[in-house]
Amino acid sequence: MKQIIVHKPIFLIGGMLILVLTFAAAISFIVPYDPLHVNMKERLLPAGAGHILGTDHLGRDIFSRIIAGAKTTVGTGLLILGAAVVIGVPAGLISGYAGGRFDRIFMRIIDAFMAFPDYIVAIVLSGLLGPGMLNLIFAIVMVKWVGYARLVRGTVLSQKQKDYIILAKINGLGPMRILWKHMMPHVAGNVLVLATLDLGKVILMIAALSYIGLGAQPPAPEWGAMLNDGKAFFYHKPELMIIPGVCIMLVVLLSNLAGDFLRDHYDVKSQKGGQ
């Protein structure tokens, strides 16, 4: 409890900043300048009254592009996590509760997905599908849902032989009712912790894939793509890379702080699905 209290102010600050970023993503259409407008007469301007963070090599307002980029980077990250949870949680619940041959086949599928690092699989899938945000979303969801499925399956396996589940079966509750009423409360905390910790990882994957040209395509504002655009001007105008890099770093850091707090709060132990 003492450790949680010590970290709680950090968690509150981190949570508030994540909410601010999420809000910025939701209202990204309210920006001082059009983030896509090119004005070569104002290229590479320093920060000032007219442009808070200056302009890039095409005269576009950096502040407007950072705010608009929150919708692409943070918003897409939240969308990917939501899709991964929607796919992984039901799959893990059904596999863990059903057991038998179905569970064994399911575990072989999970093992196949987890045999290689997330980044490698996401890059390969994105490369095969071609550049673009839709393909990037599909690729990352395909490597992220398995973690939730495995976590949930392990939780179900640890709970389904306990007395309260046996009593629920004796009382006539069907499998779906048992999963929803008795398993979900045990699953929810673990999933919330994993999703919070995963937010930073997913945002890093989005930025990394966009940086190498497999994600957001020009002129769309996205923090990883902005890093790629600014690398040619790093010595002349380093803030073109520093500003989006700091934004990515802050979101990753804050999501990790929030995940650490939730992990302590829910006292989540390492969950491993049995083979």
Side-chain angles (χ1 to χ4, degrees):
M1 180 63 69
K2 182 178 179 181
Q3 185 180 2
I4 294 175
I5 294 173
V6 170
H7 285 83
K8 191 170 183 179
I10 298 176
F11 166 71
L12 290 176
I13 294 171
M16 289 299 295
L17 288 175
I18 289 177
L19 287 175
V20 168
L21 286 170
T22 305
F23 180 71
I27 62 166
S28 59
F29 57 89
I30 305 176
V31 290
Y33 298 92
D34 182 354
L36 303 180
H37 178 66
V38 175
N39 186 352
M40 298 303 291
K41 294 181 180 180
E42 297 187 351
R43 67 190 301 268
L44 301 176
L45 290 180
H51 299 277
I52 299 175
L53 298 177
T55 61
D56 65 6
H57 61 294
L58 295 177
R60 298 171 296 193
D61 183 65
I62 296 175
F63 178 74
S64 299
R65 288 181 64 79
I66 286 291
I67 297 299
K71 179 178 181 179
T72 306
T73 307
V74 180
T76 303
L78 294 172
L79 176 63
I80 289 171
L81 283 179
V85 169
V86 167
I87 297 172
V89 171
L93 285 171
I94 295 171
S95 177
Y97 190 80
R101 185 176 181 182
F102 176 83
D103 184 53
R104 289 193 296 272
I105 295 173
F106 180 78
M107 280 308 300
R108 299 292 77 78
I109 296 173
I110 295 294
D111 291 341
F113 273 98
M114 300 186 74
F116 302 96
D118 290 354
Y119 280 92
I120 299 300
V121 178
I123 290 172
V124 170
L125 288 176
S126 296
L128 291 174
L129 295 172
M133 288 305 294
L134 288 178
N135 292 338
L136 177 144
I137 291 170
F138 177 80
I140 300 179
V141 169
M142 285 298 98
V143 300
K144 281 299 176 183
W145 74 270
V146 294
Y148 295 92
R150 190 179 182 93
L151 174 68
V152 171
R153 174 184 175 273
T155 304
V156 172
L157 288 175
S158 68
Q159 296 294 322
K160 73 175 186 177
Q161 299 300 330
K162 292 189 176 180
D163 292 342
Y164 73 96
I165 297 296
I166 297 173
L167 289 173
K169 293 178 181 178
I170 293 173
N171 288 330
L173 289 183
M176 296 306 296
R177 187 78 181 275
I178 291 174
L179 289 174
W180 178 255
K181 185 176 180 180
H182 295 289
M183 292 297 186
M184 281 301 294
H186 293 278
V187 166
N190 295 342
V191 170
L192 178 60
V193 172
L194 181 58
T196 308
L197 291 170
D198 256 354
L199 177 60
K201 297 177 184 178
V202 169
I203 287 175
L204 278 177
M205 293 179 75
I206 294 170
L209 290 173
S210 294
Y211 180 80
I212 62 177
L214 293 176
Q217 299 299 301
E222 193 280 327
W223 294 345
M226 290 175 69
L227 283 172
N228 186 42
D229 289 341
K231 67 182 181 182
F233 304 91
F234 181 73
Y235 293 104
H236 178 63
K237 194 175 175 65
E239 57 266 36
L240 290 179
M241 293 191 73
I242 292 173
I243 293 172
V246 168
C247 290
I248 295 169
M249 181 189 70
L250 284 176
V251 175
V252 173
L253 175 63
L254 296 174
S255 67
N256 286 339
L257 289 174
D260 288 341
F261 171 82
L262 290 174
R263 182 170 54 195
D264 293 338
H265 180 71
Y266 285 105
D267 192 27
V268 174
K269 302 295 190 296
S270 177
Q271 299 284 345
K272 293 184 179 180
Q275 294 294 328

